[in-house]
Structures are given as structure tokens and as C-alpha cells.
Amino acid sequence: MQKSSHIARQDSQEQLPTTHYKVVVPSMKRRTLAGTCGVGVFVIAFVAIVISFATPNWLASDDRITGAKLNRLGLWVHCFRSLPDVNDDSQRRFFVGCRWVYDPFTTGYDEIRGFLLPAFMIATQFFYTLAFIGALVSCVGVLVFFLCAGPDQKHFVTLIKLIGYVMLGTGVSAAIAVIVFACFGNRNGWMPEHANNWFGWSFVLACVGTVFSLVTGILFLTEQNVQAKKRKQFKESQTRFELVQGKA
């Protein structure tokens, strides 16, 4: 009887259900769709800002008018067909060709610098230079994000957040510059024959760079939010896994 009861207890212990703990650890993708799109949009914004910053086509004269005094101008270079010296009442001095706005070699050019660079133009240069610097800084961050960084690195989320905020600042600075130039760049009393002048393709690129910079900032901040949530879930899953292993 004792032997049979012992065998019965062994059979009952063998039939007891075994509890299995299954811990699902979420996978950490290197980039989400927001990050991938952010990189692509950033490339467009960066190219647009750099080209518009360096090219002299923010304001251009109508090519069909042969006697126009202005040819085209940018933030740093002005091109004239025949601009009379505003300080010469007899109009015996004219400026022809393209020159850097701070050209120290052309006689009399420094004397009309106040005319070439009114307050609104200096403001445009200042804010768009900030946007240009922001785009350069973000370019370094985006290269690190795209080529080197990964979710397993400590400052990955911080890097994405930094890129997002810098690009938002870049977009805001560029927007201020574009709005100021749009309001005052083709007004009467500055460049001659303003009715025949048009905003050039450099200005259009500046507008494109402004919009795409803001979109880039939003996309990277979205990516930062997603990566932060994934990292939190990953740490919680690891904690649960360690607890289960400890109980086992």
C-alpha cells in the first residue's frame, strides 16, 4: 500500500502544469519612417539654403528691358548694368558689373554702401546667416545620425532632439529673413526701376529652404519621441526579463 501511494504521488507531481514565462522584447530599429523622411527633407533644405545664401539672384531685373540699371543682386553680391552714384549729383560715376557688397577696391563703392545695405537688408543678411550656420551644424548631426549613431548608443535620442531643435531654429531664422526681404526688397526708393524688378530664383530657393527646414525639425522631433518611447519599452522589457530569470 505504501509503495502504491508513493507511485501515485509521483504520477500526480508529474501531471502538475508547468508555468512558462514569455517575455517579449521589442526590437530597436535604427530609424523609423519619420527619421528616414527627415533625412531626405533635410537634404533638400540644406541644398536650397546653401545655394540661395551664395547666389546673387534674390532680386533681378526684367531681362527684356535693355536699359535697366539693375541686373541682379543677392545677399552678398550686387550686379549692375549702369548704376549711377547716388552721392554724385552730376551723375558722372556709374557702377557696372558684379561686386561683393563689401568690396574695398572699387573707388566710391564704400560711399554708397549705406544705399546698398539699408537696415532691412542687414537684418536679412543676419537672420539668413544664422539659418546658414544652423544648416551646417545640422548637417554634421544628420551625418552622424545617418551613418554612425544607433539606438543602442547612450546619446542617440539626445542627438535627434538636438537636430530637431536646431532645424526649427534654422527655419524660424530663415523665415524672418525671407519675410523681411519680401516686404522691403522691392519697395520704391531702393533699387532703381522697382516696377521692373522681380524676386529671383535664389529668393524662391530661400523660401523652399525655409519650409523644408521647419518640416525637417518637426520630423526629427517626431523621431525623437518615437525612439524615446521605444527605449523606455525596451528597458521595461529587460527589467521584466531579469525578474523572470530571478524567479526561475
Side-chain angles (χ1 to χ4, degrees):
M1 290 293 293
Q2 292 180 353
K3 185 176 181 181
S4 61
S5 62
H6 178 69
I7 294 174
R9 282 198 302 270
Q10 286 183 343
D11 293 339
S12 62
Q13 289 177 356
E14 291 177 357
Q15 293 175 2
L16 288 175
T18 304
T19 304
H20 297 280
Y21 296 94
K22 184 178 181 181
V23 178
V24 179
V25 179
S27 60
M28 296 286 287
K29 292 179 63 177
R30 186 168 183 175
R31 288 186 302 273
T32 66
L33 180 61
T36 303
C37 293
V39 173
V41 175
F42 169 78
V43 172
I44 300 175
F46 180 77
V47 172
I49 288 177
V50 171
I51 293 178
S52 60
F53 182 80
T55 52
N57 233 302
W58 282 58
L59 189 68
S61 177
D62 193 340
D63 294 333
R64 296 171 296 180
I65 301 176
T66 57
K69 299 176 181 179
L70 172 69
N71 186 4
R72 63 186 186 274
L73 64 85
L75 296 179
W76 313 105
V77 176
H78 294 72
C79 299
F80 299 107
R81 296 177 183 176
S82 180
L83 178 70
D85 189 346
V86 294
N87 298 321
D88 185 8
D89 295 332
S90 60
Q91 293 190 351
R92 290 176 297 180
R93 179 188 293 169
F94 296 86
F95 298 98
V96 181
C98 296
R99 289 179 179 84
W100 182 43
V101 68
Y102 296 104
D103 181 10
F105 304 109
T106 303
T107 303
Y109 209 65
D110 57 338
E111 299 175 3
I112 65 169
R113 192 166 296 149
F115 167 76
L116 298 176
L117 294 176
F120 80 87
M121 194 63 184
I122 295 176
T124 302
Q125 289 178 333
F126 174 75
F127 283 105
Y128 209 73
T129 300
L130 290 181
F132 177 73
I133 295 173
L136 291 180
V137 173
S138 298
C139 182
V140 177
V142 171
L143 286 176
V144 174
F145 168 75
F146 185 74
L147 299 176
C148 307
D152 56 331
Q153 296 179 346
K154 181 178 180 180
H155 300 291
F156 182 66
V157 176
T158 304
L159 172 66
I160 301 173
K161 182 189 293 187
L162 180 63
I163 296 172
Y165 281 119
V166 171
M167 285 307 297
L168 280 182
T170 298
V172 171
S173 296
I176 295 174
V178 166
I179 292 172
V180 169
F181 190 83
C183 293
F184 301 101
N186 199 22
R187 63 180 174 84
N188 188 18
W190 186 43
M191 284 295 135
E193 303 166 345
H194 76 98
N196 300 322
N197 300 332
W198 310 91
F199 293 113
W201 56 265
S202 297
F203 178 77
V204 175
L205 279 180
C207 296
V208 172
T210 299
V211 174
F212 277 69
S213 295
L214 294 173
V215 174
T216 301
I218 294 172
L219 287 173
F220 270 96
L221 290 179
T222 303
E223 173 75 4
Q224 177 266 328
N225 187 38
V226 173
Q227 292 291 347
K229 289 182 178 179
K230 285 189 173 184
R231 174 167 291 188
K232 183 179 179 181
Q233 293 175 357
F234 185 76
K235 289 181 178 179
E236 291 176 352
S237 299
Q238 282 186 325
T239 303
R240 288 196 299 268
F241 181 76
E242 291 173 358
L243 290 175
V244 170
Q245 290 294 323
K247 291 179 180 179

